[in-house]
Amino acid sequence: FRASDQILKFSGFTAVYEEGKDEEEEERSSPLPDLKEGEALDSQGLTQSQHFTQPPARYSEASLIRALEEKGIGRPSTYAPTISTILNRYYVVKEGKALRPTPLGEVVTGLMKDKFEDIVDPTFTAQMEEKLDEVEEGRIPWKKVLRGFYDGFEKRIETALEGDRQPIEAEVTEEICAECGRNLVVKSGRFG
């Protein structure tokens, strides 16, 4: 069983101002019965209800930019090109205002998380931007920053390319091919 109630411990500003309250003070009564520990619960009046959790809402362009800002990723000048890139490369598609990941986007994200975990970490991007700011201000040489990034990175790319690749499932259509007689298939390729 689950029950919830609220008790006001300190009225704060509401002692002076309560929006939408009538002049007459209404005496507050708890919808829950006063129970003592170990006391039997009367099951009359209880109702069963089932609640399903909802997945978080998909990002829209605006909420994605807000999330990037909160995590310190990118700059205002890079937000629009970032969104254009993920749309143009077909990693996500727009459904109304929401951005929905495509099978290609899910495979690429899985590969990046598996092979380049430190690079897709939001803290990496924020730290790299701090280093680039230091380069701009002349505090550290740019070659040192690049060398620190690329040491070992080339081997990791080769290892990632040699590994098993996840196929992107093709969408089988009802149309029949005039040449071979089989169902036509819609596949994602490099250019769409």
Side-chain angles (χ1 to χ4, degrees), residues 2-14:
R2 184 176 123 184
S4 61
D5 189 23
Q6 295 179 355
I7 298 173
L8 182 65
K9 290 193 174 204
F10 176 70
S11 59
F13 76 93
T14 60

Side-chain angles (χ1 to χ4, degrees), residues 95-109:
E95 287 182 348
K97 290 184 178 183
L99 299 174
R100 180 185 55 82
T102 63
L104 174 63
E106 290 173 0
V107 168
V108 169
T109 301

Side-chain angles (χ1 to χ4, degrees), residues 6-179:
Q6 295 179 355
I7 298 173
L8 182 65
K9 290 193 174 204
F10 176 70
S11 59
F13 76 93
T14 60
V16 180
Y17 173 78
E18 285 193 37
E19 187 174 333
K21 187 161 184 176
D22 293 335
E23 292 294 320
E24 306 163 3
E25 284 291 321
E26 296 175 13
E27 192 170 316
R28 189 182 183 296
S29 63
S30 174
L32 302 176
D34 291 331
L35 296 174
K36 293 181 178 51
E37 191 172 332
E39 186 178 338
L41 181 64
D42 181 17
S43 62
Q44 292 180 350
L46 296 179
T47 58
Q48 290 185 9
S49 64
Q50 186 173 7
H51 297 278
F52 295 98
T53 58
Q54 295 294 320
R58 296 208 185 271
Y59 282 114
S60 65
E61 290 182 24
S63 65
L64 179 59
I65 290 171
R66 193 168 32 258
L68 292 171
E69 287 173 342
E70 288 171 1
K71 294 181 180 182
I73 300 171
R75 303 272 193 264
S77 62
T78 62
Y79 297 145
T82 299
I83 291 174
S84 296
T85 299
I86 63 174
L87 285 167
N88 292 341
R89 291 187 183 171
Y90 199 61
Y91 297 151
V92 297
V93 291
K94 282 183 86 169
E95 287 182 348
K97 290 184 178 183
L99 299 174
R100 180 185 55 82
T102 63
L104 174 63
E106 290 173 0
V107 168
V108 169
T109 301
L111 174 73
M112 293 298 291
K113 283 183 176 179
D114 184 42
K115 304 292 184 182
F116 304 100
E117 184 178 345
D118 57 334
I119 293 175
V120 295
D121 181 18
T123 58
F124 168 81
T125 305
Q127 289 169 352
M128 181 57 80
E129 291 197 16
E130 288 174 13
K131 288 179 184 176
L132 293 174
D133 287 341
E134 290 179 24
V135 167
E136 182 183 27
E137 294 166 4
R139 287 191 267 162
I140 56 175
W142 64 270
K143 288 183 180 180
K144 181 180 178 183
V145 173
L146 289 179
R147 199 172 292 115
F149 174 76
Y150 280 110
D151 282 349
F153 184 68
E154 187 174 11
K155 287 187 181 191
R156 288 173 54 195
I157 289 177
E158 290 172 14
T159 305
L161 294 176
E162 290 171 1
D164 294 334
R165 295 184 184 184
Q166 285 183 312
I168 299 171
E169 292 190 25
E171 179 186 339
V172 180
T173 66
E174 298 295 322
E175 287 185 62
I176 304 297
C177 177
E179 293 180 22

